[in-house]
Amino acid sequence: MTAPQAEAVIDLDAFRANIAALKACAPQSALMTVVKADGYGHGAAQVARAARDAGSEWLGAATLEEALALRQAGDRGDLLCWLAAPGANFAAAIDAGVEVTASSAGQLAEILAAPATVRPKVQLKVDTGLSRNGAFGTQWTELVEAAAVAQMGGAVEITGVWSHFACADEPGHPANDAQESAFNHAVGELQTAGIEPALRHLSNSAATLTRPSAHFDLVRVGIAAYGIRPDPRMTYETRLTPVMTLRARLAAVKRVPAGASVSYGHTWTAERETTLGLVPIGYGEGILRTASNRAEVGFAGGRARQVGVVCMDQFVIDLGDADASRGDLVTVFGPGADGEPTAEDWAAAAGTIAYEVVTRLGGRIERTYVGEQA
């Protein structure tokens, strides 16, 4: 069988170990593994199965479509989704046993009007300071009142209440205390209205790792499950291993003289005679063009600099005097254990975050899974 030209190798053993380590951070809480955006670029169905293997009680998906795709892939466990514009197919999700989120009284009314064949299970989202989705101020009061009426009438089962931190990756940021306080106040409003949700959840990856007071009944882990720090400046004792290794085989190798310039715009020129290698992936596969002339790759036990502008299908690396041939393997990024760059390194080179580095990958990159269980 011909080796892939470019592949993302997903280590499911590492993923399961990360889940186990994160569960140990919040032993009194249930754990939700977030598999939105195709499992942060790792393959939603595959990492969902691995998360269940590792004891994740819940899965989280952003959209109804993502949640339904998990059901179609065979998942039957507890599953929550939370992002839906007007007109979304709530009925299909409810009938598939997916718990949905209401972020306003109007959205709750839309959920209740869906022609589902079973009573919906709904979680309520409160905006505690992220100013994104979720009910805020009088909107929250209206949502609580509407939910109480609907539950008393038997039209809905309110199973949870939740919110999302804005600054948990900065553990000392004052917004964290303010949001946790606002969340507790919102839960109190629910209880006063006669709703006792089984699940209260606020913690994302960063808070799971560093803020035990916010663990409540469930924690939601996203990027940390894939072995990437929520912020490269964060420190914590939990050991996590990056799950994805991106590699490709050189499509071309050539020796060029001093003065040879590379790629569109000639933004890099060789100062001496050197060997160039052509890596056959580019921004069509999600490689960040803004990393041009700044990123590195792993090659032959060392590193090689990416030179010239990243193109749609390819980018060039400077191999110096290294012995290289067409077909040789290049590690674009990986766990870093063998000295290769990590997704965080590429993020730093591109001026972005590692979340974007892994979630944007696609195009002609093949995924290969290791550590799969029967």
Side-chain angles (χ1 to χ4, degrees), residues 254-262 268-276:
K254 66 182 67 174
R255 193 75 175 166
V256 299
S261 296
V262 172
W268 183 86
T269 299
E271 296 179 353
R272 61 180 180 85
E273 184 180 15
T274 192
T275 298
L276 301 178

Side-chain angles (χ1 to χ4, degrees), residues 289-315:
R289 191 172 183 272
T290 51
S292 297
N293 291 307
R294 287 188 289 272
E296 294 179 316
V297 302
F299 181 78
R303 290 195 181 191
R305 183 184 172 194
Q306 186 279 318
V307 294
V309 171
V310 171
C311 305
M312 184 180 293
D313 317 299
Q314 53 207 285
F315 64 83

Side-chain angles (χ1 to χ4, degrees), residues 276-351:
L276 301 178
L278 186 66
V279 182
I281 50 177
Y283 59 78
E285 281 69 48
I287 300 298
L288 290 152
R289 191 172 183 272
T290 51
S292 297
N293 291 307
R294 287 188 289 272
E296 294 179 316
V297 302
F299 181 78
R303 290 195 181 191
R305 183 184 172 194
Q306 186 279 318
V307 294
V309 171
V310 171
C311 305
M312 184 180 293
D313 317 299
Q314 53 207 285
F315 64 83
V316 178
I317 56 175
D318 179 13
L319 297 170
D321 296 322
D323 185 20
S325 302
R326 293 181 66 249
D328 284 352
L329 199 62
V330 170
T331 301
V332 181
F333 62 79
D338 296 321
E340 76 277 8
T342 64
E344 288 183 2
D345 291 328
W346 269 79

Side-chain angles (χ1 to χ4, degrees), residues 172-244:
H173 198 292
N176 297 321
D177 287 342
Q179 284 197 257
E180 189 171 336
S181 176
F183 183 70
N184 284 322
H185 181 77
V187 172
E189 283 193 59
L190 270 180
Q191 293 169 334
T192 298
I195 298 175
E196 290 283 351
L199 291 176
R200 301 162 299 156
H201 49 112
L202 176 61
S203 288
N204 53 9
S205 287
T208 300
L209 289 161
T210 64
R211 194 175 179 88
S213 64
H215 287 171
F216 296 108
D217 304 305
L218 178 145
V219 295
R220 304 184 307 271
V221 296
I223 198 67
Y226 305 92
I228 295 172
R229 290 177 291 180
D231 186 290
R233 297 167 297 180
M234 284 188 70
T235 58
Y236 41 81
E237 294 182 0
T238 304
R239 183 177 178 180
L240 302 171
T241 301
V243 172
M244 180 189 291

Side-chain angles (χ1 to χ4, degrees), residues 46-297:
Q46 292 84 356
V47 296
R49 286 194 294 269
R52 296 295 195 194
D53 292 342
S56 183
E57 296 92 341
W58 282 80
L59 295 178
T63 66
L64 299 172
E65 292 77 14
E66 289 177 333
L68 288 169
L70 290 170
R71 288 295 192 240
Q72 291 164 5
D75 187 83
R76 295 293 178 264
D78 289 328
L79 172 58
L80 176 69
C81 65
W82 50 79
L83 187 61
N89 189 1
F90 283 112
I94 294 164
D95 285 340
V98 176
E99 297 202 11
V100 297
T101 298
S103 289
S104 67
Q107 190 169 47
L108 178 61
E110 187 175 0
I111 293 167
L112 297 177
T117 61
V118 297
R119 183 173 63 163
K121 292 185 176 182
V122 176
Q123 299 197 25
L124 308 181
K125 187 171 185 184
V126 55
D127 175 11
T128 56
L130 184 60
S131 300
R132 207 169 60 176
N133 210 2
F136 177 76
T138 57
Q139 288 182 336
W140 175 246
T141 301
E142 293 170 0
L143 176 56
V144 169
E145 291 173 351
V149 170
Q151 180 157 283
M152 287 178 60
V156 68
E157 181 182 355
I158 304 299
T159 59
V161 54
W162 66 286
S163 191
H164 195 63
F165 276 118
C167 303
D169 54 357
E170 300 177 60
H173 198 292
N176 297 321
D177 287 342
Q179 284 197 257
E180 189 171 336
S181 176
F183 183 70
N184 284 322
H185 181 77
V187 172
E189 283 193 59
L190 270 180
Q191 293 169 334
T192 298
I195 298 175
E196 290 283 351
L199 291 176
R200 301 162 299 156
H201 49 112
L202 176 61
S203 288
N204 53 9
S205 287
T208 300
L209 289 161
T210 64
R211 194 175 179 88
S213 64
H215 287 171
F216 296 108
D217 304 305
L218 178 145
V219 295
R220 304 184 307 271
V221 296
I223 198 67
Y226 305 92
I228 295 172
R229 290 177 291 180
D231 186 290
R233 297 167 297 180
M234 284 188 70
T235 58
Y236 41 81
E237 294 182 0
T238 304
R239 183 177 178 180
L240 302 171
T241 301
V243 172
M244 180 189 291
T245 298
L246 178 62
R247 61 194 189 192
R249 294 183 298 120
L250 289 176
V253 175
K254 66 182 67 174
R255 193 75 175 166
V256 299
S261 296
V262 172
S263 194
Y264 294 119
H266 281 182
T267 61
W268 183 86
T269 299
E271 296 179 353
R272 61 180 180 85
E273 184 180 15
T274 192
T275 298
L276 301 178
L278 186 66
V279 182
I281 50 177
Y283 59 78
E285 281 69 48
I287 300 298
L288 290 152
R289 191 172 183 272
T290 51
S292 297
N293 291 307
R294 287 188 289 272
E296 294 179 316
V297 302

